[in-house]
Amino acid sequence: MNLQQLRYVVATAEHRTMTDAARSLYIAQPALSRAIRDLERELGMTLFARSGRGVVVTAQGRRVVKLAREALDAVHEIEGLAHHTGASDAELRIASTPSLEPGLAGRLLPAYAAEHPGVRVQIVRCEGREAVVSAIRDQRADLGLTDLPVPADLVTHPLERQEIVLISPPGLELPNPVPMGRLHGMRLALPARGSTRRRELDAMFGRYSVTPTVVLETDERNGWLNAVRAGRASLLWYRGMAEQAARAGLVVRSLEPAVRRVIAVVHARRRLPLIAQDFLATAEKGTTAA
């Protein structure tokens, strides 16, 4: 068994057809099929079974694929040691939602850059939690910063709990904190109907038997803020955005009872590059999940 065979196994498992896997490896499909058959004979087990025009990973194959990925990740990590010692072309990709990006850029990245000045950090901007998950799964990002929950195939590292607050135009006669019942009939800008965040907010409204008046339904954060600036509606957002809202002349109030969401760094279930491990250590050292 060699590294090339391990790459063949992983590519076949990811693409689910020999043709697509061979194309990704820049080899002929018959050559890939022969290499897989030779490895199966060497191991004495069937790794892939035919299914229509594609292949499926067998129970034994899933274990081999997992170990092959770990072995290849370890090789990549060894090859990346030069980057880890300060080469200027090391790059860490972090997916983040717009609501959490200010905290990432304002707190986590400066602390990480101070300890690892040779690493470039690219923020992969994602419109929501589902987009962060997709960026991790598609390997467009090494890490993701999002609120929970996320699917079970991702590893989560909770960092902190952020409070959800009510952001309103000036002039509304409301106490601080705002009793949850006061949201009944309130004019709100909300995420688009059917989105995960909207379902979570609707579930919260249901728990407290409140029905707000929906003025705007969109996943565009700027649209929410513009509606509040124009005096058309209030919105529910993270406390971390309160400074931005206050600078815009808006009023920020807590809710009663308080509502909080767990913010976490997430990643795929595979060995992280060293630069990603270092970022995770920096994040966990600088924040606490309450």
Side-chain angles (χ1 to χ4, degrees):
M1 185 187 306
N2 53 48
L3 286 176
Q4 187 178 60
Q5 288 174 309
L6 296 182
R7 293 189 181 97
Y8 290 173
V9 167
V10 170
T12 303
E14 290 176 345
H15 292 278
R16 297 302 178 95
T17 72
M18 290 289 182
T19 301
D20 290 343
R23 187 179 296 117
S24 73
L25 294 163
Y26 301 99
I27 64 173
Q29 185 269 327
L32 175 61
S33 298
R34 284 195 301 272
I36 293 295
R37 287 198 300 270
D38 290 344
L39 181 59
E40 289 177 327
R41 282 195 294 269
E42 179 182 342
L43 296 175
M45 63 180 68
T46 300
L47 304 179
F48 301 98
R50 288 284 178 183
S51 175
R53 295 185 177 181
V55 294
V56 295
V57 187
T58 65
Q60 290 178 314
R62 283 194 293 271
R63 177 63 176 163
V64 173
V65 170
K66 178 178 182 296
L67 293 172
R69 285 194 176 112
E70 291 176 355
L72 291 174
D73 287 343
V75 170
H76 294 156
E77 188 170 319
I78 292 170
E79 293 172 345
L81 285 176
H83 300 323
H84 187 62
T85 56
S88 61
D89 57 349
E91 182 177 76
L92 176 63
R93 301 163 303 162
I94 304 175
S96 177
T97 63
S99 300
L100 298 178
E101 187 177 331
L104 172 64
R107 292 186 294 113
L108 298 179
L109 292 188
Y112 177 71
E115 297 180 6
H116 307 280
V119 179
R120 294 195 312 272
V121 178
Q122 175 192 354
I123 299 179
V124 181
R125 292 180 172 85
C126 300
E127 277 306 309
R129 185 191 311 156
E130 296 93 337
V132 171
V133 171
S134 294
I136 296 294
R137 286 175 170 168
D138 297 343
Q139 299 184 35
R140 290 182 287 111
D142 305 295
L143 301 170
L145 184 67
T146 185
D147 55 355
L148 299 182
V150 295
D153 62 309
L154 299 187
V155 179
T156 63
H157 300 268
L159 299 181
E160 62 183 355
R161 290 181 181 270
Q162 277 208 23
E163 181 187 10
I164 293 178
V165 296
L166 181 71
I167 301 176
S168 304
L172 288 185
E173 294 296 328
L174 291 171
N176 189 15
V178 178
M180 198 65 71
R182 294 292 293 272
L183 298 182
H184 187 75
M186 183 178 293
R187 298 169 60 85
L188 291 182
L190 294 175
R193 191 178 300 274
S195 65
T196 298
R197 198 171 302 279
R198 176 61 180 275
R199 289 194 296 269
E200 291 171 349
L201 287 173
D202 285 344
M204 182 186 77
F205 297 147
R207 283 196 300 273
Y208 294 101
S209 301
V210 299
T211 303
T213 299
V214 181
V215 173
L216 176 68
E217 294 178 301
T218 179
D219 288 328
E220 281 289 332
R221 272 68 176 175
N222 287 336
W224 296 344
L225 276 178
N226 288 339
V228 182
R229 290 190 188 105
R232 296 173 53 208
S234 298
L235 70 89
L236 297 166
W237 216 351
Y238 287 116
R239 170 68 72 179
M241 300 303 296
E243 183 177 341
Q244 176 184 345
R247 286 199 303 267
L250 307 179
V251 181
V252 180
R253 297 178 177 89
S254 297
L255 296 172
E256 177 60 44
V259 179
R260 293 182 173 85
R261 291 277 187 263
V262 177
I263 309 303
V265 174
V266 302
H267 60 82
R269 291 187 180 277
R270 58 193 306 172
R271 185 189 298 270
L272 288 175
L274 283 174
I275 55 176
Q277 294 180 34
D278 288 340
F279 179 86
L280 186 56
T282 298
E284 291 180 327
K285 180 172 60 180
T287 58
T288 55

